[in-house]
Amino acid sequence: METVSDFRRPSRRAVVGGFTSLGLLALTGTLAACGRQNEIQLAAAPATSLPIPPVADSRVEDGIRVFELEARTGTLDLVPGFPTTSAGFNGPYLGPTLRAERGEHVRVKITNSLDEVTSVHWHGMHLPPEMDGGPHQPVAAGSTWEPEWLIDQPAATLWYHPHPHGETQRHVNLGLAGMFIVDDADAPEGLPSDYGVDDVPVIVQDKMVGDEGDFLLDSSGNEVGTLGKTLLVNGVRNAQLEVASRRIRLRLLNAAPARTFNFTFADSREFALIASDGGLLTAPVPLTSIRLSPAERAEIVVDIEPGERVMLRSAGVELGAVAVPAAFGGDDEFDVLELRAAGELAPSSSVPETLASIERLREDDAVGLREFRLADRKINSKDMDMGRVDEIVRVGTTEVWEVRNTNPYPHNFHVHDVQFQVLAIDGEEPPPELGGWKDTIYLEPRRVYRIILRFGDYTSSSVPYMYHCHLLLHEDEGMMGQFVVLEKGEAAPLRISMDHDH
Ligand SMILES: [Cu+2]
């Protein structure tokens, strides 16, 4: 049996703890003590074929594509004899891939079979605020919610996850998350697009697994939240993927609560970045690594040689001017997904030189500048207040937002409803990997991120959209604000009524 350890940390930081009752378990190697957490280092796992989340069934009713999702609990088998309590959509962990085409109307019938309130947010989706699935659209235990909207954005790898205020980290950590792939007839020919074969969802999460099998959340006071030693890809450890063609497209999603990954191949080979959060870039960007903070996505295409094996890894990550990089996972390394090529590979088209046309939003068109300072668990010195309107935006306008992280540890910034463009970082042009549509951006400490956003289509004076840090501990602890999009001249609400919450 071939085994690969899924976690490496420089030995100076390894802590060898004593076995207690765990000695009875089939655990080997280091049992790294983690204070009160009792996180365990699992024994190396046998190589496991990467599970591919199924494409969700749908039916078309009166011109609307209808999906069904049921949030439910389940168990996983990670620690022998100790089932891990988990949750998922339509299964014990994660959820099916929703897939719809630009121009389609979709409806998702969501049944909450958990014993507590949750919600389902469509991360990266442009849609009315009532359908957004944020904290103002709770789904009570035992009830059903049926949001409906028009898919009107370019092809992209989006995702869905709960967003109940204060509980998002716990719900996502249990496994409530899935991909939502938007297709678009304008996408170019020639990209690998055989789902699960040469176009593969890769949902990456680190987990703290406790000595009784359960997923833990770090309560030790680590500023960024939960950084686990166990890596799951599409819900399994030590994942491998059989490759049968010369090129493969990986849709990378960082669905971790706190960790920023730095994806790279073991042999440092070049790959083509073809898409960021909101869709295809104008042209492929050759890279040897890509940093993704929680909730960010990247689509990459990599060339494969017949018969080879190559490991997609997460290497040590440059977090910027953080105080103690090692404390925030900067030194941690993981094996993520081993690609195992067949002896003979089917030919693949080369990656098109032009992928998409992206209209550049122009600073000259912007009507306003807003500043957002992220510090501790606040944005602009304010804790999240579900009733407060923090920002008022007028529909049809373009705005520039200046966002900065004033802490010496990681934050990121996610805006609902819109995809934005990065104008500048500290006054400099952003790197090419940040040249396309984004909905979430990592914030290195003490740098100024200047982004430009255009707010179209949807208005509501009673239901806001969110902006927040997507490190889920921070979000849950209040690092979130609310904006409403109003018609020109429409009066702003003094408070957001909670009457629509039930
Ligand atoms: Cu944060």
Side-chain angles (χ1 to χ4, degrees):
M1 182 172 65
E2 184 174 350
T3 59
V4 180
S5 167
D6 55 6
F7 178 80
R8 284 180 227 106
R9 181 170 277 175
S11 57
R12 65 189 160 80
R13 302 186 62 230
V15 181
V16 181
F19 280 82
T20 54
S21 61
L22 294 166
L24 300 172
L25 302 178
L27 299 169
T28 59
T30 307
L31 179 69
C34 195
R36 301 177 294 278
Q37 297 297 312
N38 297 319
E39 182 188 18
I40 54 173
Q41 173 91 60
L42 297 179
T48 302
S49 187
L50 180 74
I52 304 297
V55 174
D57 288 335
S58 63
R59 57 183 190 277
V60 177
E61 287 177 4
D62 300 328
I64 299 172
R65 183 170 297 284
V66 181
F67 300 91
E68 294 191 12
L69 291 177
E70 181 193 16
R72 58 169 93 143
T73 57
T75 58
L76 296 180
D77 185 19
L78 295 171
V79 179
F82 291 89
T84 300
T85 299
S86 64
F89 294 100
N90 303 358
Y93 194 76
L94 299 178
T97 296
L98 273 58
R99 195 150 193 174
E101 192 152 342
R102 184 172 200 172
E104 282 192 299
H105 286 265
V106 298
R107 180 193 303 146
V108 189
K109 182 178 177 186
I110 294 157
T111 302
N112 179 6
S113 297
L114 308 174
D115 60 8
E116 59 182 309
V117 64
T118 190
S119 81
V120 180
H121 166 58
W122 315 103
H123 186 119
M125 197 74 76
H126 174 50
L127 76 187
E130 300 83 0
M131 309 300 167
D132 186 49
H136 290 279
Q137 291 85 43
V139 187
S143 73
T144 295
W145 179 56
E146 298 191 47
E148 185 182 313
W149 71 96
L150 170 67
I151 303 285
D152 187 18
Q153 62 194 93
T157 301
L158 311 181
W159 65 303
Y160 60 93
H161 62 80
H163 209 306
H165 186 43
E167 304 292 345
T168 295
Q169 177 178 228
R170 192 167 53 79
H171 287 206
V172 174
N173 196 53
L174 282 169
L176 291 163
M179 263 189 195
F180 196 131
I181 296 177
V182 172
D183 294 308
D184 177 355
D186 287 345
E189 301 277 313
L191 292 173
S193 56
D194 191 354
Y195 180 80
V197 177
D198 66 4
D199 178 0
V200 178
V202 180
I203 303 173
V204 185
Q205 300 170 302
D206 61 315
K207 297 289 183 183
M208 279 187 133
V209 178
D211 47 19
E212 294 184 358
D214 282 329
F215 293 139
L216 304 177
L217 294 174
D218 190 342
S219 59
S220 71
N222 183 324
E223 285 287 2
V224 299
T226 301
L227 299 171
K229 294 176 166 58
T230 299
L231 194 83
L232 299 184
V233 180
N234 297 355
V236 302
R237 301 174 60 213
N238 198 7
Q240 61 166 85
L241 179 70
E242 303 290 338
V243 177
S245 58
R246 285 279 287 114
R247 291 192 176 82
I248 187 160
R249 173 191 200 166
L250 302 176
R251 296 177 186 256
L252 305 173
L253 159 61
N254 180 350
R259 184 181 293 281
T260 295
F261 292 104
N262 181 28
F263 295 105
T264 186
F265 288 93
D267 60 1
S268 302
R269 74 180 56 190
E270 198 172 274
F271 56 82
L273 177 73
I274 60 167
S276 54
D277 301 333
L280 294 165
L281 305 175
T282 54
V285 174
L287 293 174
T288 56
S289 65
I290 177 86
R291 177 176 71 184
L292 294 183
S293 68
E296 287 185 289
R297 288 87 66 208
E299 296 180 32
I300 66 172
V301 175
V302 60
D303 288 6
I304 303 295
E305 295 297 328
E308 73 168 343
R309 293 183 175 191
V310 63
M311 184 65 78
L312 174 69
R313 308 182 59 241
S314 180
V317 58
E318 173 56 63
L319 295 171
V322 300
V324 188
F328 310 125
D331 291 353
D332 296 348
E333 299 185 339
F334 294 89
D335 288 343
V336 176
L337 175 65
E338 189 183 40
L339 303 180
R340 296 187 179 189
E344 285 187 43
L345 298 176
S348 303
S349 301
S350 48
V351 176
E353 288 175 17
T354 302
L355 297 169
S357 63
I358 295 179
E359 182 202 344
R360 303 311 306 182
L361 302 182
R362 287 162 30 90
E363 206 165 344
D364 287 350
D365 295 334
V367 296
L369 174 71
R370 298 180 200 268
E371 292 184 66
F372 298 89
R373 295 179 317 281
L374 280 73
D376 306 327
R377 302 297 183 263
K378 301 173 197 292
I379 299 179
N380 292 341
S381 305
K382 293 181 288 188
D383 275 320
M384 170 67 169
D385 175 346
M386 294 267 290
R388 189 183 60 224
V389 177
D390 294 292
E391 307 291 339
I392 296 162
V393 171
R394 297 293 165 179
V395 70
T397 62
T398 300
E399 298 199 354
V400 172
W401 290 12
E402 275 189 359
V403 189
R404 65 192 82 198
N405 165 9
T406 67
N407 286 132
Y409 55 83
H411 290 300
N412 71 8
F413 193 69
H414 169 49
V415 186
H416 288 211
D417 180 43
V418 295
Q419 296 285 337
F420 55 78
Q421 294 172 2
V422 184
L423 290 173
I425 302 171
D426 284 350
E428 307 272 322
E429 194 174 322
E433 62 266 31
L434 297 180
W437 293 110
K438 294 287 292 171
D439 57 50
T440 308
I441 188 169
Y442 180 71
L443 303 175
E444 294 187 7
R446 294 193 274 280
R447 304 191 78 180
V448 181
Y449 293 77
R450 207 171 158 79
I451 64 176
I452 187 163
L453 322 82
R454 186 167 57 204
F455 298 88
D457 303 311
Y458 306 116
T459 63
S460 172
S461 60
S462 58
V463 184
Y465 294 107
M466 306 296 124
Y467 54 86
H468 59 90
C469 178
H470 217 289
L471 276 63
L472 299 181
L473 174 75
H474 297 178
E475 175 185 339
D476 282 344
E477 291 187 345
M479 197 166 225
M480 180 152 60
Q482 311 193 106
F483 68 98
V484 290
V485 182
L486 302 180
E487 301 287 352
K488 186 172 182 234
E490 185 178 7
L494 294 176
R495 294 278 295 173
I496 296 294
S497 160
M498 305 297 189
D499 290 349
H500 53 274
D501 300 349
H502 44 77

